[in-house]
Amino acid sequence: MLFQVPVASLAFAAVAFAANFIDYDPQPGVQEEFRPFFQALIDAAEDPNVTTGFTDYFPADGMQTTLTLHCVGAARIQGCKNFFLSDGRQLVHFPNTTFVANNNATATTYESHGRIENTYVGGNCSQIYYKTQYTILKTNQTEEAAPNLSLIPEAQVYWYHDYFVNPTTVPSDIPCDSLKG
């Protein structure tokens, strides 16, 4: 069975360690404040030099899941991040369609669809497609309240859930769109 690195690497990206929002397409209901929060969260995930600056976004029981790889708590989440960025791999998220998937008195779940470019030492670049849900806790616990979209990590990301990844192995056989003329 060919399974080099679970596409859990989709949870992260880089090239100057910054997600690329060129095709970002927020749907009605997504607050303006979500984009800078989302950018900060993904940038922290993609940067191999950031540790607590990423894990501090999660409460003690916070989770990051990619397909069947389930990481709970800061130490496990950081371990998974290190795995996703192993061997000098750089990842860059290119989110596009983003919408509110669920909202209740305690949290709002945003869903983003897009692609991730995986660049390896030596320049090989391939991409995968993802669908991810981000469950963000609320400070004021009412359904009408916005979630905590502070750019400062405040244990507000309860679950970072990559529930769809295609293909499920990296490198993939899909060349990076950014390399196309």
Side-chain angles (χ1 to χ4, degrees):
M1 172 175 146
L2 176 65
F3 195 79
Q4 296 166 346
V5 174
V7 177
S9 33
L10 86 76
F12 309 112
V15 168
F17 310 123
N20 187 320
F21 278 69
I22 192 167
D23 296 319
Y24 181 66
D25 183 20
Q27 301 301 297
V30 175
Q31 301 92 330
E32 274 185 48
E33 298 82 8
F34 182 70
R35 180 183 173 154
F37 168 81
F38 190 27
Q39 179 90 49
L41 175 66
I42 298 303
D43 288 354
E46 295 172 348
D47 187 339
N49 300 311
V50 173
T51 55
T52 58
F54 177 59
T55 59
D56 284 354
Y57 276 105
F58 298 86
D61 61 343
M63 302 175 286
Q64 179 185 351
T65 305
T66 300
L67 301 177
T68 60
L69 181 61
H70 187 61
C71 308
V72 179
R76 293 281 320 269
I77 290 169
Q78 184 61 46
C80 289
K81 174 184 171 172
N82 292 344
F83 173 73
F84 301 147
L85 297 173
S86 63
D87 301 326
R89 181 178 319 122
Q90 291 184 332
L91 308 173
V92 177
H93 284 74
F94 290 80
N96 52 46
T97 304
T98 302
F99 57 94
V100 173
N102 191 25
N103 182 55
N104 60 45
T106 60
T108 299
T109 300
Y110 297 90
E111 183 164 326
S112 180
H113 300 178
R115 63 186 173 86
I116 295 176
E117 292 190 352
N118 299 272
T119 304
Y120 293 83
V121 175
N124 178 31
C125 186
S126 65
Q127 68 186 23
I128 58 176
Y129 299 94
Y130 72 88
K131 295 179 183 178
T132 301
Q133 293 188 340
Y134 306 88
T135 301
I136 314 302
L137 299 171
K138 295 183 176 185
T139 303
N140 298 323
Q141 297 197 340
T142 67
E143 192 166 330
E144 301 76 29
N148 180 354
L149 298 176
S150 170
L151 301 181
I152 299 167
E154 297 177 336
Q156 69 265 53
V157 178
Y158 181 67
W159 197 8
Y160 184 135
H161 186 198
D162 303 317
Y163 74 89
F164 173 88
V165 178
N166 187 36
T168 58
T169 58
V170 293
S172 76
D173 60 353
I174 305 168
C176 288
D177 283 356
S178 65
L179 299 179
K180 296 177 182 174

